């Protein structure tokens, strides 16, 4: 663990891997040190945003070093169901790469309970990890110039849903009509770190 001051109101924590990030994020989310106003996880870092009027950097660092990561915290977050029509352009290619049938890919995707590990790429995009998803799906050799809003994809060990039309290189296995980002909603992002996601195959 490496702790670095970030600008005048932050503390950046560098960790070895995503499992350490999610464990520490869960611990600090449930018991934040005084003056910590936001937690921003990423693949190997956790940023703590501080209120300069209330936070003592030395005390926050001490609290972080003394925190006990909660690696069993997956089952505690809010649950969101996302109906998916599994008609993605890359579904057959993904199945072939994994040595499965398309139906088996769908069953594995819907059978895993996913958790938002961190956000990024675009507002409302969540990088989801599955507790029983053990597949590594390579990104496309060439990214698409436009991926439609609501596209459901796979890349590496992650799944994700594109919140708006944008370029992208993930393998597309389906689509959803669920709105991922809405500035009129509080909070705007449906998928936030710690939220659990269940993909449900949409009925025709």
């Amino acid at each position: 663990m490496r702790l670095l001051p970030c600008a005048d109101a932050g503390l950046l924590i560098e960790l070895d891997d995503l499992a350490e990030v999610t464990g520490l994020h869960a611990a600090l989310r449930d018991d934040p040190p005084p003056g910590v106003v936001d937690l921003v996880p990423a693949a190997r870092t956790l940023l703590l945003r501080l209120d300069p009027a209330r936070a003592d950097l030395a005390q926050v660092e001490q609290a972080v070093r003394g925190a006990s990561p909660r690696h069993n915290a997956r089952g505690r977050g809010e649950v969101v169901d996302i109906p998916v029509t599994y008609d993605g352009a890359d579904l057959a290619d993904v199945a072939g790469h994994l040595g499965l049938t398309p139906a088996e890919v769908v069953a594995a995707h819907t059978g895993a309970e996913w958790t938002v590990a961190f956000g990024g790429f675009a507002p409302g995009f969540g990088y989801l990890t599955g507790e029983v998803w053990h597949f590594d799906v390579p990104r496309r050799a060439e990214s698409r110039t436009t991926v439609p809003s609501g596209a459901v994809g796979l890349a590496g060990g992650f799944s994700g849903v594109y919140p708006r039309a944008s370029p992208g290189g993930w393998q597309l296995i389906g689509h959803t009509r669920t709105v991922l980002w809405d500035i009129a909603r509080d909070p705007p992002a449906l998928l936030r770190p710690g939220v659990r996601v269940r993909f449900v195959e949409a009925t025709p």
Side-chain angles (χ1 to χ4, degrees):
M1 179 189 298
R2 185 182 182 202
L3 279 61
L4 301 168
C6 186
D8 59 351
L11 179 66
L12 184 67
I13 308 166
E14 295 182 343
L15 297 155
D16 288 338
D17 53 34
L18 182 55
E20 288 193 6
V21 172
T22 55
L24 184 60
H25 174 257
L28 297 179
R29 179 191 62 208
D30 292 346
D31 187 19
V36 174
V37 296
D38 196 12
L39 302 167
V40 185
R44 295 181 63 178
T45 61
L46 178 61
L47 174 65
L48 276 58
R49 289 183 54 234
L50 311 177
D51 177 355
R54 297 191 297 120
D56 179 283
L57 186 59
Q59 291 181 357
V60 173
E61 290 184 358
Q62 183 178 7
V64 168
R65 294 189 185 281
S68 298
R70 294 179 53 183
H71 297 295
N72 60 345
R74 276 185 179 268
R76 304 193 179 198
E78 171 190 351
V79 179
V80 171
D81 286 349
I82 298 182
V84 177
T85 300
Y86 286 92
D87 59 354
D90 302 317
L91 179 58
D93 288 344
V94 169
H97 174 77
L98 299 179
L100 304 173
T101 65
E104 288 172 333
V105 173
V106 173
H109 195 249
T110 56
E113 184 176 275
W114 299 84
T115 302
V116 183
F118 57 95
F121 171 63
F125 188 93
Y127 288 79
L128 282 69
T129 58
E131 192 168 5
V132 295
W133 179 266
H134 304 301
F135 301 111
D136 188 347
V137 178
R139 292 171 57 93
R140 287 175 53 84
E142 292 186 10
S143 295
R144 292 182 169 92
T145 56
T146 303
V147 174
S149 173
V152 178
L154 299 167
F158 296 106
S159 188
V161 183
Y162 285 78
R164 62 184 182 187
S166 62
W170 288 35
Q171 305 278 6
L172 306 183
I173 61 172
H175 75 276
T176 181
R177 296 187 179 184
T178 302
V179 177
L180 278 294
W181 177 261
D182 182 355
I183 60 173
R185 184 169 54 200
D186 183 21
L190 181 67
L191 303 184
R192 306 172 306 282
V195 170
R196 292 180 291 156
V197 175
R198 292 184 301 211
F199 290 108
V200 181
E201 187 170 10
T203 55

